[in-house]
DNA sequence: ATCCTATCCTGGCTGC
DNA sequence: TGCAGCCAGGATAGGA
């Protein structure tokens, strides 16, 4: 599913092809794709706008617009499970069955297509209304090991649901959380406030390393969903150490990878590399509440 | 504060 | 072979 590395790849490929161009209009084929705006208002709001910036925040893509040199709001999108962004030659009669919104540019359409219809688009003058509750960017300088350690200490949730919570940290999804937890040798069910300082440092480094490596390989594709705007699959799926590898040997220790369910999500761990730390002794000794 | 469940959707898979 | 039913999966809302 598109997580931070996939959205980053999409944004990097689209940026040079979109910045500076003018939007001529839009056609909305599945109105529920639009969040809090009618198809008419969406189309009217986009018409004549110039694209001044294309960037990413968490798993959202953000297209900043201008009109006559003045800021004219933001076209923001979330791909959720199966959304794609594609830049295709104008061919209004050749629309695919899964196209939900087509933004008309000179000679081309920027197509938001989405098999499962979970993806959403916003057009808003107040970017903060959409992105305001997001936690920090894991690749930004503000995301330090000390910040992470303090954040883990400050709550009492299971590690994996916390890392999936976009208000805590923006951009991780099911795949990269599983990969980062394995790289940090931490169990997804561990209570976050029981992670020690060394564990927090390992997790911080693992999150950054996994995300950077996935961006380098243009994201992960293991089903029919994620493709780059150029139509290519990502290549990071070949580097997976746990995700989707249930029953196969751990690449670190050889033990079979296990699949469990954590917070309603399929979760993959190496039961030998990732133990619920402490065991009986440490647990009873530290159970203050 | 945190957890749990339902909701939104469809294609692919399982089992009969 | 055909079909019904189940399931994944990100985010959010509402209830416990």
């Amino acid at each position: 599913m598109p997580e931070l590395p996939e959205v980053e790849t999409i944004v990097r490929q689209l940026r040079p092809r979109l910045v500076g161009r003018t939007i001529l209009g839009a056609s909305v084929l599945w109105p529920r794709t639009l969040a809090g705006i009618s198809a008419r208002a969406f189309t009217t709001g986009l018409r004549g706008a110039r694209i001044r910036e294309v960037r990413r925040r968490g798993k959202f893509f953000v297209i900043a617009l201008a009109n006559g040199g003045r800021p004219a709001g933001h076209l923001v999108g979330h791909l959720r499970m199966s959304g794609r962004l594609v830049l295709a030659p104008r061919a209004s009669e050749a629309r695919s069955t899964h196209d939900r919104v087509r933004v008309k540019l000179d000679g081309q359409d920027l197509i938001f297509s989405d098999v499962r219809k979970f993806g959403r688009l916003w057009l808003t003058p107040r970017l903060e209304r959409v992105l305001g509750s997001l936690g920090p960017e894991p690749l930004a300088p503000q995301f330090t090991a000390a910040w992470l350690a303090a954040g883990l200490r400050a709550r009492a949730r299971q590690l994996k649901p916390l890392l999936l919570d976009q208000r805590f940290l923006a951009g991780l999804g099911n795949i990269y959380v599983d990969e980062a937890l394995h790289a940090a040798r931490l169990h997804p069910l561990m209570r976050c406030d029981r992670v020690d300082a060394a564990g927090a440092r390992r997790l911080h480094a693992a999150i950054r390393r996994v995300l950077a490596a996935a961006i380098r390989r243009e994201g992960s594709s293991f089903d029919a969903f994620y493709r780059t705007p150029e139509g290519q699959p990502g290549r990071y799926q070949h580097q997976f150490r746990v995700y989707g590898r249930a029953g196969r040997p751990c690449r670190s220790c050889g033990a079979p990878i296990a699949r469990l369910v954590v917070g309603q999500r399929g979760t993959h761990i190496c039961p030998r590399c990732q133990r619920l730390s402490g065991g009986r002794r440490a647990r009873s000794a530290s159970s203050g509440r």
Side-chain angles (χ1 to χ4, degrees):
Chain A
M1 316 303 125
E3 305 178 24
L4 187 155
E6 289 75 25
V7 180
E8 181 65 27
T9 301
I10 289 166
V11 160
R12 286 183 185 185
Q13 288 191 8
L14 288 178
R15 184 181 293 131
R17 295 167 196 191
L18 290 181
V19 170
R21 298 179 72 176
T22 298
I23 295 172
L24 307 176
S27 57
V28 177
L29 306 158
W30 182 258
R32 296 183 66 177
T33 296
L34 304 181
I37 187 170
S38 69
R40 173 188 287 262
F42 181 81
T43 306
T44 309
L46 284 179
R47 192 174 291 127
R50 195 180 63 87
I51 297 174
R52 60 186 173 92
E53 190 186 16
V54 179
R55 58 191 182 85
R56 178 192 61 74
R57 174 79 172 95
K59 304 178 197 173
F60 293 79
F61 62 85
V62 179
I63 299 177
L65 304 171
N67 217 322
R70 289 197 315 277
H74 297 85
L75 175 60
V76 184
H78 196 303
L79 301 166
R80 292 283 177 90
M81 318 236 354
S82 58
R84 281 193 206 182
L85 268 188
V86 183
L87 199 53
R90 167 73 47 76
S92 46
E93 68 288 352
R95 57 180 53 144
S96 124
T97 41
H98 302 312
D99 290 359
R100 305 306 176 196
V101 174
R102 298 178 72 119
V103 176
K104 314 267 176 210
L105 305 165
D106 185 17
Q108 284 180 313
D109 285 355
L110 177 65
I111 303 169
F112 187 89
S113 83
D114 186 12
V115 171
R116 291 189 180 167
K117 300 179 174 176
F118 281 8
R120 289 292 177 268
L121 289 178
W122 293 257
L123 178 62
T124 175
R126 295 277 301 117
L127 194 52
E128 286 303 300
R129 292 219 180 113
V130 183
L131 307 179
S133 61
L134 289 179
E137 285 290 322
L139 296 176
Q142 295 92 316
F143 178 63
T144 62
W147 180 90
L148 179 62
L152 295 176
R153 248 183 282 122
R155 33 213 112 202
R157 304 176 62 181
Q158 294 171 337
L159 207 38
K160 176 163 177 177
L162 177 64
L163 294 174
L164 287 174
D165 189 335
Q166 303 298 298
R167 294 168 299 186
F168 180 68
L169 191 60
L172 293 177
N174 208 36
I175 295 171
Y176 297 110
V177 166
D178 279 7
E179 292 297 318
L181 285 173
H182 177 265
R185 303 193 308 277
L186 292 170
H187 196 289
L189 287 171
M190 187 177 179
R191 256 181 60 161
C192 61
D193 55 349
R194 298 233 171 94
V195 177
D196 63 15
R201 278 196 300 273
R202 289 200 308 277
L203 182 58
H204 174 263
I207 288 169
R208 291 202 157 188
R209 195 166 60 241
V210 164
L211 291 177
I215 290 171
R216 238 176 282 128
R217 291 180 166 76
E218 302 188 313
S220 307
S221 302
F222 48 89
D223 55 25
F225 292 139
Y226 168 68
R227 296 294 183 273
T228 70
E230 297 174 351
Q232 298 299 310
R235 301 181 306 283
Y236 191 70
Q237 66 277 12
H238 305 303
Q239 316 291 317
F240 287 170
R241 297 181 78 84
V242 285
Y243 188 83
R245 298 189 68 245
R248 298 169 62 194
C250 173
R251 291 190 161 131
S252 302
C253 79
I257 300 300
R259 184 183 187 279
L260 49 154
V261 175
V262 178
Q264 272 79 293
R265 307 261 167 257
T267 298
H268 311 78
I269 63 163
C270 169
R272 193 185 289 166
C273 297
Q274 298 166 268
R275 310 218 184 200
L276 267 174
S277 85
R280 237 161 256 154
R281 249 173 308 150
R283 182 171 304 195
S284 61
S286 66
S287 64
R289 302 174 269 161

